[in-house]
DNA sequence: TGCTAATCGAGACGGTACGTCTAGTCTTTTT
DNA sequence: AAAAAGACTAGACGTACCGTCTCGATTAGCA
């Protein structure tokens, strides 16, 4: 039966083999890039990575968990610091849209959101991840508040929510090529609304 | 066994049987209501509707097409007209969240958005639908502009986009139970930003 | 996805396709012949038959059921009628041993007995099959009784059991090449014991 | 979780721990007793014995080897000496059936026979073992011959073969609850056949 | 009125993927 | 130095759906 096991990559014993983990995440990314969310399956990843399915299930209990790890391996979007909150936010959205458009990240994140609609654990993982990101965007608001660009009683989390929502919807409705002018207008509506009276 | 849906359907002749079409759409809605997007499959719908799978495929070429029809059967959310744009928008969002929470609509729309991430036709249908809704929400802005609550050069579509994005994200991240105060705060940030100088 | 389905053999609709059934049983036989019981798996049969696994499971609920059908497709062993019970039984055993030795039948039956040790349904199926065969061997005893070779109060089923047991054990312990003299001796011990006083 | 078998075993050092070997064989026996051949796997035994799979593979190269060792640990069935060959053989079979029915022995031996159908080493071990048993049962025939109950030219090995075959088949087809009368009848057919003319 | 064509429920089909289980090999850790 | 422990590749298990196809029954409208 399985005489000729472990043909290519070797196990390194009782410790988790980082090569395998890498191979799996890389295979997952490749599958997503080439076949999209529709073609993304644990089987396909296992085939591609020359890994056993149980190895994947051992470390990533669900498709969502694997998707999240793949997403997090992507380079982060940089949040500019121009000294002006409108420019900061516009720059951030522009970078984010470009990143989502030009790397597999967009597809991955879309997949993750889709998965979260039918998978509890994906929803939980996504919520966890979003929490981290929200505070991150909230930072730009805090900097603006320190500069007096934003009123003292403004809730940064809610602003971040508005901005993130705007980004999500553009991703989910294939509008990542939005003109900068339109993005700037949207941002301005919010920025004006949260400015000092 | 023995679903309530159209047990004793009769006519199966040369003309399309509208009872069958109804039974299918109703079964689809029931499945979405009871099992959510995760349990939504053509097989499940066919079983529930006591219909053959080919009958479904004949009239709806994809899961997405069926989802779209189910969604369009849903009652629309009413847009209040309080004479004040903030109250209008808050009321609209509250109604929408309640509608999504308390009827199958939320599940259906979530499913449609998810499906659109891997299905072209769903994406197209969603885009088409969103266009209509945006103009519809834009109406509230136009009324506000007429009352002088909103500056003349404001782009209603972009405002509608911000509001709709906020709603989508709450749906997609299971936050339909958001407090009115939080919703009002978010709306106020936008409303203030678009008011007359 | 499954666009290019049904490449070779076609479905013939709502009725069971006999071509598929044949292909599956033939593939099962081929797998057994080439890989033996150890290599016999539903997956392997499905691959070989170009059939879907569910198609196999639809018609044969277990490995055992498929094995039995394969076994029954083999040509039957002829039961000689020489007018002498000893010669009848020796001839039958010789034929049976040869059949088991020279066709896949032996391997299949061995597999079936082995499977029955861990699978309830296999045990049941085997019992059912054996019942039919036992009465069949009992026939030789009845003929002998009619000729006065066997005492009137002899239980044919028990004699058949002794003979079948002898055959089984030779199969299961790889002694199908037993000399005719030895077989004849064993048969004679029984035949003498059941003769008229 | 938490099997009774060797929970607090300690020494896991450079010397082979005899406790481990014991624990493994005992676990194997327990698994066979509780789950039968169907549930008997190296994994299950390792889990039960709280041992690593390689530890088992190091000492028993195959499932069959482990089965053989487990079987050899079993108490032997006693062969009665009543002074009458029919009673001897009936008593032996009754004891054997009871032993197989009421201890794990039956399950173990069934498993071994089943395993031997696809594993060479098991087949060899079984053949070796059977040889020993045959001569053992043959003893009863020799005693009978000495008493003049059996003709001088009778081949004891063949008689033993017939009796063993009858036992095997009852084990393998779950008929260990056979009535004594039936067993006696079968034995009598053979005993009569081998008696002096 | 009788034929033809469309439609229906039903379900078989070849497939893909699921998530779990076991086989047997390999290496690290522990004693 | 060797046993224990656990990770690894590989692949079978039996189930759920996919989307396609054919069957046999049923009915409407044309001839």
């Amino acid at each position: 039966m399985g005489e000729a096991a472990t043909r290519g990559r070797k196990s390194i014993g009782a410790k988790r083999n980082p090569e395998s983990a890498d191979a799996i995440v890389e295979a997952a990314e490749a599958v997503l890039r080439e076949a999209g969310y529709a073609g993304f399956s644990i089987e396909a990843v296992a085939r591609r990575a020359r890994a056993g399915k149980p190895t994947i299930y051992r470390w990533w209990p669900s498709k969502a968990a694997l998707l999240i790890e793949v997403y997090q391996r992507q380079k982060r979007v940089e949040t500019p610091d121009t000294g002006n909150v409108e420019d900061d936010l516009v720059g951030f959205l522009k970078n984010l849209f470009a990143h989502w458009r030009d790397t597999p990240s967009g597809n991955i994140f879309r997949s993750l959101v889709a998965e979260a609609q039918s998978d509890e654990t994906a929803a939980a993982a996504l919520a966890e991840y979003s929490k981290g990101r929200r505070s991150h965007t909230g930072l730009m608001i805090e900097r603006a508040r320190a500069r007096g660009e934003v009123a003292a009683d403004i809730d940064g989390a809610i602003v971040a929510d508005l901005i993130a929502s705007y980004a999500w919807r553009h991703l989910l409705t294939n509008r990542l090529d939005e003109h900068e002018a339109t993005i700037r207008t949207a941002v301005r509506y919010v920025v004006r609304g949260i400015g000092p009276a």
Side-chain angles (χ1 to χ4, degrees), chain A residues 60-81:
Chain A
W60 298 275
S62 68
K63 231 150 85 153
L66 185 49
L67 280 170
I68 285 182
E69 175 139 354
V70 171
Y71 187 66
Q72 283 174 338
R73 288 231 176 167
Q74 303 294 321
K75 260 210 331 289
R76 286 276 65 84
V77 176
E78 46 184 280
T79 53
D81 185 359

Side-chain angles (χ1 to χ4, degrees), chain A residues 23-179:
Chain A
I24 288 165
V25 177
E26 274 157 29
E29 197 208 293
V31 168
L32 271 167
R33 185 171 45 237
E34 290 167 23
Y37 178 48
F40 181 75
S41 68
I42 298 287
E43 294 248 349
V45 173
R47 262 198 304 274
R48 179 100 181 201
R50 296 193 71 70
K53 274 198 291 175
T55 302
I56 300 184
Y57 281 107
R58 195 188 334 268
W59 302 110
W60 298 275
S62 68
K63 231 150 85 153
L66 185 49
L67 280 170
I68 285 182
E69 175 139 354
V70 171
Y71 187 66
Q72 283 174 338
R73 288 231 176 167
Q74 303 294 321
K75 260 210 331 289
R76 286 276 65 84
V77 176
E78 46 184 280
T79 53
D81 185 359
T82 63
N84 172 279
V85 68
E86 181 183 310
D87 288 336
D88 276 7
L89 289 172
V90 170
F92 166 67
L93 285 173
K94 271 184 59 191
N95 286 349
L96 180 59
F97 285 16
H99 181 236
W100 277 345
R101 217 185 320 112
D102 304 334
T103 75
S105 292
N107 261 327
I108 298 168
F109 199 70
R110 283 161 54 120
S111 306
L112 200 44
V113 173
E115 191 72 14
Q117 305 314 308
S118 59
D119 183 308
E120 274 299 302
T121 70
L126 189 58
E128 182 62 26
Y129 174 77
S130 290
K131 210 170 60 186
R133 296 302 295 163
R134 193 157 49 240
S135 72
H136 184 261
T137 311
L139 217 77
M140 282 188 284
I141 310 301
E142 293 314 311
R143 285 202 308 252
R145 198 204 308 277
R147 289 192 302 262
E149 286 185 282
V150 160
D153 63 345
I154 291 300
D155 186 335
I158 292 178
V159 179
D161 203 5
L162 277 166
I163 298 299
S165 297
Y166 186 77
W168 274 42
R169 188 137 179 275
H170 273 73
L171 171 67
L172 298 174
T173 55
N174 279 315
R175 290 187 289 145
L176 294 179
D177 54 352
E178 192 72 273
H179 293 310

